[in-house]
């Protein structure tokens, strides 16, 4: 059974940096996809970054060039390094897991079937 546990997050001023992490407990060595999502109050959940077992990364346009997703396969930890943060980046950040190598957050294409979710960690960016 896959389990996810986020850490990090917090409050930062606009223009600052922050890192959130997600410990991944998974059985076996099958292909998988990991994603980061965020949800602001009164808004729909947004897929912002993904990475698969082959380190293929995709990003939403809203974070491209500012956020970097990475996976430490030795420690089984997923990271999201966020820089040049903006107030609109505020939200609850969750990691998610899907079996299979197909992995993307690009719009207008089929999305991976994320079945396991972390509990979320809050990121607040102030002006």
């Amino acid at each position: 059974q896959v389990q996810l546990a986020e850490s990090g997050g917090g409050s930062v001023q606009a223009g600052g940096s922050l890192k959130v992490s997600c410990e991944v407990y998974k059985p076996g060595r099958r292909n998988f996809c990991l994603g980061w999502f965020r949800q602001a109050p009164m808004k729909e959940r947004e897929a912002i970054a993904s990475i698969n077992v082959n380190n293929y990364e995709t990003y939403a346009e809203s974070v491209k060039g500012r956020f970097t997703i990475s996976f430490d396969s030795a420690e089984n930890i997923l990271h999201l390094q966020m820089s040049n943060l903006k107030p609109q980046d505020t939200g609850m950040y969750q990691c998610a897991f899907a079996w299979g190598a197909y992995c993307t957050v690009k719009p207008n294409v089929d999305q991976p079937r994320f079945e396991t979710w972390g509990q979320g960690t809050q990121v607040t960016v102030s002006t």
Side-chain angles (χ1 to χ4, degrees), residues 34-37 46-51 58-60 63 67-69 80 104-105 114:
L34 291 163
W36 281 106
F37 293 74
E46 176 188 17
I48 58 175
S50 68
I51 188 168
T58 68
Y59 297 91
V63 306
F67 290 12
T68 301
I69 189 171
L80 184 70
T104 184
V105 294
F114 290 104

Side-chain angles (χ1 to χ4, degrees), residues 99-112:
W99 287 114
Y102 180 73
C103 196
T104 184
V105 294
K106 292 179 180 179
N108 304 317
V109 299
D110 289 339
Q111 296 297 299

Side-chain angles (χ1 to χ4, degrees), residues 12 15-20 36-38 46-50 57-70 79-91 93 123 125:
V12 66
S17 298
L18 207 57
K19 186 176 186 178
V20 291
W36 281 106
F37 293 74
R38 68 184 179 192
E46 176 188 17
I48 58 175
S50 68
E57 304 169 23
T58 68
Y59 297 91
E61 286 299 319
S62 59
V63 306
K64 192 177 292 184
R66 300 187 298 122
F67 290 12
T68 301
I69 189 171
S70 62
H79 299 290
L80 184 70
Q81 178 67 51
M82 304 177 286
S83 61
N84 191 21
L85 282 160
K86 305 174 182 180
Q88 53 263 45
D89 292 319
T90 294
Y93 282 66
V123 171
V125 184

